[in-house]
Amino acid sequence: MNAVAIIPARYASTRLPGKPLVDICGKPMIQRVYEQAAKARLVSSVAVATDDERIYEAVLGFGGRVVMTSVAHQSGTDRVCEAASILGLGNAADIVVNMQGDEPLIEPAAIDAAIAPMLEDARLQVCTLKTRISSQEDYNNPNVVKVVTDLDGWALYFSRSMVPYAKNPCILYKHIGLYVYRREFLERFHSMKPSPLEEAEGLEQLRALEAGVRIKVVETEYNSVSVDTPEDLEKVRGIFKS
């Protein structure tokens, strides 16, 4: 079984232009993410998928593996799908890990936790992560995606809204946007048209749920810290310095 981590990276960013190349204590952010992915025990190899020469050259500069992809992609998943094809991942049993390029603090153990169920059960097509929401602020924030699962960890729904409605005390979960796909399913998912709920919420994982595909959701203690703004960047720099 071959698990390849692919990090989609584009230069344009409204709130933080050139985000993959911003310096984090002496290294570009894309290198920080790449190195964390490479530490995961179940990851066979790592690659960056980009459409920008500056990112391409930066990855080559630190000795990483990188492929150029189309500028026309609408999502990171589309870019990852093309990169998997370029890398020659033709085996349906291969596993593709779609990494977020703006999480330099991603824990290798969390990556392994998302991959492990795919190795244990050949029927699984896609797996992702969740962590407990610890603040009302996150629960109220539409940029923090919430996930609801059944008792066996299968996703029931993902939403930017406050779900479930907590009339009584309950454990609430934040979705962590790392996906592990069976190679064959990634191709099928890429070919599906956007679904009504996906377009309403702006969450592409709902395309799979609406198509009747079950998504396994693994709980982790890792709480993602994304770099979306200059303030986020300073926060992450402070963590690396500490």
Side-chain angles (χ1 to χ4, degrees), residues 6-34:
I6 300 178
I7 309 165
R10 62 189 187 91
Y11 193 85
S13 173
T14 303
R15 291 181 288 179
L16 192 61
K19 185 162 64 169
L21 301 183
V22 295
D23 178 80
I24 299 179
C25 301
K27 295 180 180 180
M29 181 160 64
I30 192 66
Q31 182 176 354
R32 293 287 186 186
V33 178
Y34 191 103

Side-chain angles (χ1 to χ4, degrees), residues 28-180:
M29 181 160 64
I30 192 66
Q31 182 176 354
R32 293 287 186 186
V33 178
Y34 191 103
E35 290 174 347
Q36 290 301 97
K39 292 175 186 176
R41 182 175 53 86
L42 299 179
V43 168
S44 305
S45 61
V46 184
V48 173
T50 188
D51 60 2
D52 189 277
E53 287 287 350
R54 291 161 290 189
I55 296 173
Y56 185 90
E57 292 298 329
V59 176
L60 290 181
F62 66 75
R65 190 181 189 188
V66 58
V67 295
M68 287 293 288
T69 55
S70 169
V71 298
H73 292 310
Q74 298 298 308
S75 71
T77 303
D78 294 336
R79 195 173 306 284
V80 165
C81 188
E82 183 189 355
S85 179
I86 294 171
L87 292 168
L89 305 183
N91 189 333
D94 282 344
I95 291 171
V96 178
V97 185
N98 182 351
M99 301 276 299
Q100 296 294 318
D102 59 2
E103 292 193 13
L105 296 169
I106 182 72
E107 294 177 358
I111 302 170
D112 285 334
I115 296 172
M118 303 286 281
L119 301 178
E120 297 163 1
D121 187 347
R123 296 171 297 176
L124 293 185
Q125 298 300 304
V126 57
C127 191
T128 190
L129 296 170
K130 68 178 181 180
T131 193
R132 294 191 182 195
I133 292 177
S134 58
S135 72
Q136 189 66 35
E137 181 182 0
D138 279 352
Y139 185 51
N140 295 339
N141 188 348
N143 293 318
V144 175
V145 177
K146 275 66 72 174
V147 60
V148 177
T149 65
D150 69 11
L151 296 177
D152 293 319
W154 295 101
L156 296 174
Y157 195 62
F158 298 85
S159 182
R160 297 184 183 278
S161 297
M162 295 180 288
V163 294
Y165 174 73
K167 181 178 180 181
N168 297 306
C170 65
I171 298 173
L172 308 168
Y173 288 98
K174 164 185 174 179
H175 176 232
I176 296 175
L178 179 148
Y179 298 93
V180 183

